[in-house]
Amino acid sequence: MSVGPLRRSIGALGLLALVPVAAMLVVGTLDPVDAAKRSLVTLIGLLVLGRLASWGVHAIASTVERGGTEPEGAGEAETAASPTATVNTAEAAQR
């Protein structure tokens, strides 16, 4: 099973977020215990961000899939103005 683009993006963001912690660890301004604490906080924050983004994408996708994005009555005006609307109406009347 392949990893989705959202997971890849969150993973890349996580690696970028850990770069300053790694740099401070290498320079010596941060000891290993504090670096581990900061990395853990970063990991938890990214997991929460990834979950929220996933829920948001699923909510948007389900809304679009159900067709709830267009206002009421918008489809009726468009159907009545289309050239096939009269043909479809005539066929429906014959049935």
Side-chain angles (χ1 to χ4, degrees):
M1 189 165 139
S2 66
V3 176
L6 182 63
R7 273 190 161 171
R8 269 190 235 118
S9 300
I10 296 296
L13 183 64
L15 288 175
L16 288 175
L18 289 176
V19 168
V21 174
M24 287 188 282
L25 188 61
V26 168
V27 172
T29 58
L30 195 62
D31 63 340
V33 174
D34 288 335
K37 289 177 184 177
R38 288 184 185 201
S39 298
L40 183 64
V41 168
T42 302
L43 173 70
I44 292 170
L46 285 170
L47 287 173
V48 169
L49 179 67
R51 183 66 58 161
L52 290 174
S54 175
W55 286 342
V57 168
H58 285 288
I60 291 170
S62 65
T63 302
V64 170
E65 190 174 273
R66 278 185 270 141
T69 57
E70 74 180 42
E72 290 184 29
E76 295 169 7
E78 184 177 314
T79 305
S82 70
T84 59
T86 54
V87 174
N88 292 339
T89 307
E91 288 177 3
Q94 289 177 354
R95 291 181 193 165

